[in-house]
Amino acid sequence: MPRSAAHLSRTGAAARQDEVVVVLRSDVRLEWFVSFLAVVDTGSFGAAAEATHRSQPRVSMHVAALEREAGLALFDRRKRPVALTDAGTALAEHARRILGELHSAEEAMAARRGTARGVVTLGSYPSPSAAFVPRVITTLARTNPDIEVILSDHSIPVLDEAFTAGKIDVCLRPLTPPPVSQSLRHQVLWREPLVVVHPLGHPLAGLPDPLPATAVAAYPVITIGRAEDMAFEWYKLFRDRGQYLQPVHTTNQPQTVIGLVRENLGVGIMNALAATVSDTTGVAVRRLEGGCGRRVAAFWDTSRALTPAARALFRVLGATAIPEGTEPPPVQDADVPS
């Protein structure tokens, strides 16, 4: 067989007609495989660039280099999302196996040297990202300096999509609304109350804390989360008291809730941590009856192997002091990854 830069070969007569084997030189760069698989998993070069934290031209360069080595196109770029060719399908299978073996090798070495290294992506939503994640990253940098943490900060619906797509290794999110995937496990980190935000001169100002849900329900409400999602903590609390709220505005940004409240467009309902990390000038933040209505946990996906870096991050998440204004869970609700 000629020793060309790259070539395709077919197996013998017993091979299927559509089976294509890609033979590449041993000096192919692993980062080419990472970019290539990112395009496969996300369906576009732009999304792959975002997922790998590289520029789109760099991802394109990596894929083009692989195609030069293979001597064939790996993607049909005429389709949206881009589709693999036969050669691309064959190479993707091998690329995953190669990178998987590297992860296994790193786990074996980490167990022997007592430390982990690598990159881990932590998904979070705005309030923990502001009040908790910075201390986690600082602690991990001190205890495991060879681990790089990449923060992926989104609203909870977008966060769930990224986690399901495999773009996030560890995810911080509340237990409700529950995630769709059945393969997720979690470790509860803290619980926090629900609060009401109202203008300083509002009629609710004359009532003592905690504010009754029935009193709050008498006014137009502004909430965090989708209005149609009945799994949110605030919806369940009001429903249990016979109140079925229809918010006049919903948003995924706590500061937007407070801005709308300042303009007397309604009474805000949110979790306490979201109010803590926001500018509450000109409004009152009051505790809502019902105790601690939200539990926040660190999630991982049992369908994917946790890297040593992700395991190290989990240990730090569980050991870091919880944010001010939150409470530890009374009983640890967790399947802590071993």
Side-chain angles (χ1 to χ4, degrees):
M1 186 174 292
R3 296 178 59 84
S4 57
H7 61 275
L8 295 177
S9 66
R10 291 187 179 272
T11 57
R16 301 195 316 269
Q17 289 296 314
D18 61 345
E19 184 176 12
V20 180
V21 180
V22 181
V23 183
L24 301 171
R25 295 187 308 187
S26 61
D27 60 350
V28 169
R29 297 181 182 179
L30 294 174
E31 62 178 342
W32 298 354
F33 285 148
V34 173
S35 293
F36 166 62
L37 289 177
V39 178
V40 174
D41 293 338
T42 64
S44 76
F45 285 79
E50 181 180 353
T52 59
H53 303 278
R54 294 169 174 157
S55 67
Q56 185 169 336
R58 189 168 186 83
V59 170
S60 298
M61 181 183 70
H62 290 169
V63 173
L66 271 178
E67 290 180 321
R68 284 195 301 272
E69 289 295 316
L72 284 175
L74 301 176
F75 293 103
D76 183 349
R77 292 169 173 80
R78 297 169 300 179
K79 298 181 179 180
R80 291 293 183 273
V82 293
L84 285 168
T85 61
D86 287 344
T89 299
L91 182 58
E93 180 181 347
H94 291 289
R96 292 191 195 280
R97 190 154 51 239
I98 290 168
L99 295 181
E101 287 296 326
L102 282 176
H103 281 303
S104 297
E106 165 58 21
E107 288 188 358
M109 295 303 100
R112 286 163 174 77
R113 64 173 178 263
T115 60
R117 65 180 62 179
V119 178
V120 58
T121 301
L122 172 63
S124 181
Y125 59 102
S127 50
S129 295
F132 180 67
V133 170
R135 283 186 284 120
V136 170
I137 294 177
T138 299
T139 302
L140 191 65
R142 184 176 65 251
T143 58
N144 295 83
D146 292 327
I147 295 177
E148 177 186 357
V149 178
I150 296 174
L151 174 61
S152 183
D153 181 70
H154 301 286
S155 64
I156 292 172
V158 176
L159 197 64
D160 286 347
E161 291 178 6
F163 198 22
T164 301
K167 300 177 183 178
I168 292 172
D169 300 306
V170 177
C171 183
L172 288 177
R173 75 181 303 285
L175 293 189
T176 55
V180 175
S181 175
Q182 299 300 308
S183 61
L184 300 186
R185 297 294 181 271
H186 65 266
Q187 175 184 352
V188 174
L189 301 177
W190 68 77
R191 58 180 187 163
E192 56 188 281
L194 298 175
V195 297
V196 176
V197 182
H198 62 71
L200 295 179
H202 195 275
L204 288 174
L207 298 178
D209 283 347
L211 290 174
T214 52
V216 175
Y219 301 95
V221 296
I222 302 165
T223 64
I224 291 179
R226 299 179 294 258
E228 68 275 11
D229 197 329
M230 300 179 183
F232 278 96
E233 302 95 346
W234 63 265
Y235 187 95
K236 295 172 67 176
L237 185 148
F238 280 87
R239 182 196 60 197
D240 290 346
R241 287 157 177 76
Q243 305 291 327
Y244 294 85
L245 300 185
Q246 291 295 324
V248 293
H249 297 288
T250 61
T251 176
N252 286 311
Q253 298 301 323
Q255 196 63 62
T256 301
V257 173
I258 292 172
L260 294 171
V261 170
R262 280 200 194 101
E263 294 299 319
N264 287 299
L265 296 174
V267 172
I269 302 173
M270 62 172 65
N271 55 299
L273 188 57
T276 300
V277 300
S278 300
D279 177 6
T280 57
T281 304
V283 300
V285 178
R286 311 280 304 284
R287 189 157 181 156
L288 182 63
E289 69 169 327
C292 288
R294 164 169 284 193
R295 289 183 296 164
V296 176
F299 285 78
W300 76 98
D301 192 339
T302 58
S303 68
R304 305 195 301 264
L306 271 180
T307 65
R311 294 179 188 276
L313 173 59
F314 249 103
R315 289 193 293 271
V316 173
L317 285 169
T320 301
I322 60 178
E324 183 179 354
T326 65
E327 301 177 7
V331 177
Q332 188 167 8
D333 181 8
D335 294 317
V336 180
S338 57

